[in-house]
Amino acid sequence: MLADYPHTSPLTIELRPLLHPLFRQLREGISEFTFANLYLFRATHRYSVTALADGTVAFLGRDDARAFFMLPFALPEAGLLDTLFRDHGMLKCASAAQARILAQQGYRIEEDRNNFDYLYRRQDLALLGGRNYHKKRNLIKAFTRSHAFCAKPLRTELHQDALQVLEDWRRGTEVPGDYEAAREAVELAEPLQLCGGIYYVESQPVAFVLGEELAGGASYAIHFEKAVPGYKGLYQFINQSFAAVLPEEYATINREQDLGDPGLRQAKMSYFPAGFVEKFKVYPKDSPPL
């Protein structure tokens, strides 16, 4: 079903039965490496997929003018890897284990801190106990005392309400960000097996969350979290509320990266992450630092 390199196949939803089982076997918990995530951001990063001569599956992409490739499932034979570097310049989203192997082989490794995933203990976000979360608890109390609210599983019959939230969120922000991906995520939540919750105030939809499990079911990734403006404490409330209803089998919650945005980094650090899913950029041997 996949084109042989150097030819590529577009990342279509018809490839899900082939690729989704491979992603489910991954244990590193890198948030990019789910079929849903790659599919929803296929236009943003111009993703395509190909099969190398040794059977290794590679994803190719481009950020602005810079080409890259990703190898979520395995590293290929040395000659094929060097061909990918020659043709596409950089390996993106390399895991810590891949980075160690490639460093030993002489490739140049660069820590990609802006794309580290933030990991939180599910129980920490669900309980918000202790002095560290005092301000978060106060914001949640301010919201719950001021509004009549309810939460529901984000089932298909409520998708239009979630899209209404997304439109209200879009009107309240200066940049579209991940609007297109979030909209498609809601519309295709069932075939992509995304799960989440939707929140109402006075019967009006005000927020939703969508995500999926990672790391062999040990972690849960929050891919999209959107809320309408004007409700103090709403984001803190949905963060805590959704963590509280997640099954205990998810030891951690992956809230993805900060992309180097100072405000977003501060917000994510304010929840005191238990750790990070580290990612690395890898460059050809003897290539000079950028």
Side-chain angles (χ1 to χ4, degrees):
M1 295 178 66
L2 299 181
D4 294 327
Y5 191 79
H7 304 289
T8 64
S9 300
L11 193 56
T12 64
I13 202 164
E14 287 76 19
L15 290 177
R16 187 179 185 277
L18 173 67
L19 297 174
H20 177 65
L22 300 177
F23 283 115
R24 285 182 58 84
Q25 295 176 32
L26 300 178
R27 294 296 181 267
E28 293 87 351
I30 292 175
S31 64
E32 285 90 344
F33 291 161
T34 73
F35 180 83
N37 191 292
L38 291 178
Y39 178 77
L40 292 169
F41 288 93
R42 65 195 183 283
T44 303
H45 300 289
R46 296 163 64 179
Y47 289 138
S48 61
V49 60
T50 187
L52 304 181
D54 64 354
T56 304
V57 176
F59 293 84
L60 312 179
R62 184 173 291 271
D63 287 333
D64 298 323
R66 187 168 190 101
F68 63 87
F69 63 99
M70 300 187 299
L71 298 166
F73 310 126
L75 295 173
E77 297 173 359
L80 296 174
L81 182 60
D82 287 335
T83 296
L84 287 171
F85 276 115
R86 182 195 67 210
D87 295 345
H88 302 283
M90 175 185 70
L91 170 59
K92 183 178 176 182
C93 287
S95 68
Q98 288 179 333
R100 286 193 294 270
I101 293 170
L102 295 174
Q104 293 173 356
Q105 295 176 1
Y107 295 94
R108 184 167 64 82
I109 312 299
E110 180 182 294
E111 183 181 87
D112 192 5
R113 173 62 180 85
N114 291 346
N115 280 300
F116 279 15
D117 288 330
Y118 286 72
L119 274 184
Y120 305 87
R121 285 183 285 268
R122 182 200 58 79
Q123 191 172 21
D124 287 348
L125 297 189
L127 299 178
L128 295 180
R131 297 177 60 184
N132 284 341
Y133 298 108
H134 176 71
K135 291 182 179 179
K136 307 295 185 188
R137 294 196 301 270
N138 283 345
L139 285 167
I140 292 170
K141 287 178 182 178
F143 172 77
T144 57
R145 288 173 178 173
S146 301
H147 304 288
F149 63 89
C150 71
K152 301 179 181 180
L154 185 49
R155 298 193 175 101
T156 303
E157 62 268 23
L158 301 179
H159 285 178
Q160 284 304 314
D161 287 351
L163 292 175
Q164 180 182 324
V165 170
L166 186 61
E167 294 302 324
D168 291 341
W169 169 83
R170 175 67 184 90
R171 284 191 289 270
T173 187
E174 295 179 357
V175 294
D178 59 358
Y179 167 81
E180 293 294 342
R183 183 176 184 86
E184 195 171 29
V186 173
E187 295 170 340
L188 297 177
E190 185 173 353
L192 291 176
Q193 293 185 347
L194 299 176
C195 298
I198 186 165
Y199 301 83
Y200 294 82
V201 168
E202 303 291 350
S203 301
Q204 292 298 310
V206 296
F208 73 87
V209 178
L210 266 180
E212 62 181 325
E213 67 177 36
L214 275 179
S219 187
Y220 198 90
I222 305 297
H223 290 319
F224 302 98
E225 184 181 74
K226 302 298 181 187
V228 304
Y231 292 91
K232 183 179 181 180
L234 176 55
Y235 272 108
Q236 290 78 15
F237 169 73
I238 61 177
N239 186 320
Q240 186 273 334
S241 175
F242 192 72
V245 300
L246 279 175
E248 293 185 1
E249 66 195 63
Y250 301 121
T252 60
I253 295 176
N254 183 318
R255 294 188 60 83
E256 299 192 338
Q257 56 275 88
D258 61 41
L259 300 175
D261 180 271
L264 191 55
R265 180 166 296 186
Q266 181 180 13
K268 289 181 181 291
M269 291 300 296
S270 74
Y271 275 95
F272 300 94
F276 300 91
V277 179
E278 298 180 344
K279 305 170 199 173
F280 299 84
K281 296 177 180 178
V282 183
Y283 298 91
K285 300 173 182 178
D286 303 320
S287 63
L290 298 178

